[in-house]
Each structure stands twice: as structure tokens, then as C-alpha cells.
Amino acid sequence: MEREEKVSMELADEVIKSMEVGMAFRDYNGRISSMDYHSRASNFLVTASDDESIRLYDVQNAVCLKTINSKKYGVDLVCFTDSPSIVIYSSKNGWDESLRLLSLNDNKYLRYFKGHHDRVVSLSLCPRKEYFISGSIDRTVLLWDQRAERAQGLLRVQGRPAVSFDDQGLVFAIAYGGRIRMFDSRKYDKGPFDVFSVGGDDSEANVIKFSNDGKLMLLTTKDGHVHVLDSFRGNTISTYNVKPVSSYATLEASFSPDGTHVISGSGDGSVYAWNVRGGKVACWGSTDTEPPLIKWAPGCLMFTTGSSELSFWVPDLSKLGSFAGIK
């Protein structure tokens, strides 16, 4: 039998530059407000939309597996739990700010999480245990156990918070007011063990994320800044500038799986690619006027953008030449 040879690519700037939309779903009746890849079953993607729908995709086979409507509560943020058939999502109706644990298999609520009194703007699951954290414009961050309806902990903040667990679930970060506060998830009630300043940028925090290896963090702010920091020392490695976003929009960005590149949105609807150590790599224009959501698929040479449509970006092999080789 002949040995099967596989084509693999280094994630170099040239690979990023070659990326274009390879597939898109354009059947949304509203703007996509959130999306999440499952951390282990990475072929599953879930989205939330202003058309009050939650949709589950099998990315590998390019099909929408299920659409669930949340007409009563609306839907804003959504993320997978440890199971690819169970999600947590926040509402968007303005009168019930509970978070909900939903089974996608049978469209049944497994639990309600009550505690916030205004819109939830940030949500992050712990990679190791059944814990998650949520941040709200009611100026609180709540810590939850998926098995209990009541919050297990409360932290008060002085602004709109962006929250994220690290890759090990041992540390979580809360960003607001131009600073990132680092907490030990086992001793969060002791207060932050470190506080990092973000280069004098005190504009409203939008999104904070850790790289897959936990060594880097990125923070986006309303004024159109994308900061990359060393997550241990807190020093700023690079800052990228895009068009600021409106008060009701969110500037999102995502690390590549190896942490060498950042893909970000922009207030004018464009998509930017940055080399963490080397600056701007590419920019793709858009007729849109709001920043798209950005998620890099785990372990894949593909990222996804969400706006009024869901788009999957992959390298164009015909543009790569010598950058695609047999290994």
C-alpha cells in the first residue's frame, strides 16, 4: 500500500494573507450576537442571533443541525458547556436577566441562574470544572456552579466588566476601567493577586481572552484598541488600532491556535489580521458598518466571522505556492 501523505501548512503571515470566505450561511433574519466553538468537539459551533434563534452547526459537514427559538426571553450571549449538546445563554428581553442552561437535544431548560439585574455582557466557562463566570452592566461579576441556581460568589466592579478564565481554569481575569485584575479562582474572595494597567487606555472594556497556552491575553476596548499582554508579567506586547465601535456594539478579537496571530473586527465592519510580534498582516474590507464577531476554530486553519451572516475563512491554496508543503 502506498503511504498516505498529508499536506500541512505553517501558520505564517502568507497563510493568513491568503485567507478568504470559503463558506457562508446567509439565512439569518438578524445580526449574530454571539458564537462559540466547543473546546474538544471542535466541529460543533453554536450561534445566537437577534432573530431570537440559537443554531447548532456541524462545521465539518457544513450543515446546520438544529435551530431553537427563544422568543420569550430573546438570546444574546451563548457558550457551550462540557457537553456539545448543552449551552448556557443570556437573555435579551430587558425584563429577565437570568442565565439559562439549555439542552439542545430536546429544547429543555435544565436550570435557571438568577442573580444579575441588568444585561449580561461577558460570559466564560471554566475549562476544568462545572464553573462559569458572568459579568453584567449592573457592575457585578458572579461566579456560578452549573449544578446550582444561586451564584457561588459575587464581585463588585466599577464599570462594564469583561471576564475570562485562563486555559487551565486556575485563574480568571476581570477587565474594566483601563486595568486587568487577575484572580486565583480558588481564592477569589481574597481579591486580585495582580493588577495590570493597559497603557493608559481607560475606555470601556469589550472582550478579554487568553491564548491557548495561557501565556498571552488580549483585550479590546470601545475606542478601537486591541491590546496583547504577557499574562504573567502584565506588560503590553503590542497594541493595534481600529475604528472605534458604537456604544451598543462589541469589538471582538481572537488568537490563532498557536498564539502567533490575532484576528480582530473593526468599527467600520472590516476584519484585520495582526502578527503578535510583527504588526499588521492583512485587512479585508466590508460593506457592513458594525464590527463582526470573530472566533478562530480550535486547532484548525480557519476562523469564523459573524455579522448578518456566518462566514468561514480558510486559506486559498492557489495563492500559497511554496508555503504549502508535504511533511
Side-chain angles (χ1 to χ4, degrees), residues 76-142:
D76 193 5
L77 303 181
V78 65
C79 62
F80 281 113
T81 63
D82 189 58
S83 168
S85 63
I86 300 176
V87 298
I88 296 171
Y89 79 92
S90 64
S91 62
K92 204 175 187 177
N93 56 21
W95 56 269
D96 186 343
E97 304 302 339
S98 301
L99 296 158
R100 292 168 177 81
L101 189 68
L102 173 68
S103 170
L104 300 177
N105 284 339
D106 49 13
N107 191 17
K108 287 186 177 180
Y109 292 118
L110 306 178
R111 194 158 287 111
Y112 296 81
F113 305 103
K114 300 179 180 181
H116 284 301
H117 303 290
D118 210 331
R119 180 184 166 209
V120 174
V121 292
S122 191
L123 193 60
S124 179
L125 263 72
C126 177
R128 299 180 66 184
K129 297 182 179 180
E130 294 180 298
Y131 302 144
F132 67 98
I133 51 177
S134 57
S136 167
I137 55 177
D138 66 9
R139 297 195 169 194
T140 65
V141 172
L142 297 182

Side-chain angles (χ1 to χ4, degrees), residues 229-271:
L229 300 92
D230 182 307
S231 60
F232 296 103
R233 299 178 180 87
N235 55 296
T236 300
I237 294 171
S238 50
T239 295
Y240 320 122
N241 299 310
V242 298
K243 187 174 180 179
V245 299
S246 59
S247 58
Y248 57 85
T250 298
L251 177 63
E252 191 166 17
S254 182
F255 280 114
S256 61
D258 61 0
T260 60
H261 293 80
V262 170
I263 307 291
S264 80
S266 173
D268 61 4
S270 300
V271 176

Side-chain angles (χ1 to χ4, degrees), residues 23 52 63 77 87 122 124 142 167 176 201 216 238 255-256 291 314 320:
M23 177 179 64
E52 300 176 325
V63 294
L77 303 181
V87 298
S122 191
S124 179
L142 297 182
D167 60 310
Y176 64 90
D201 180 8
L216 301 175
S238 50
F255 280 114
S256 61
V314 294
L320 291 175

Side-chain angles (χ1 to χ4, degrees), residues 257-322:
D258 61 0
T260 60
H261 293 80
V262 170
I263 307 291
S264 80
S266 173
D268 61 4
S270 300
V271 176
Y272 283 85
W274 316 88
N275 185 307
V276 168
R277 304 289 177 179
K280 180 179 171 183
V281 172
C283 175
W284 298 274
S286 172
T287 57
D288 205 345
T289 57
E290 294 184 38
L293 300 178
I294 307 278
K295 284 288 187 302
W296 198 292
C300 297
L301 273 176
M302 179 176 72
F303 68 86
T304 307
T305 57
S307 52
S308 56
E309 60 186 51
L310 182 66
S311 302
F312 298 86
W313 297 68
V314 294
D316 181 350
L317 297 177
S318 67
K319 296 178 181 178
L320 291 175
S322 62

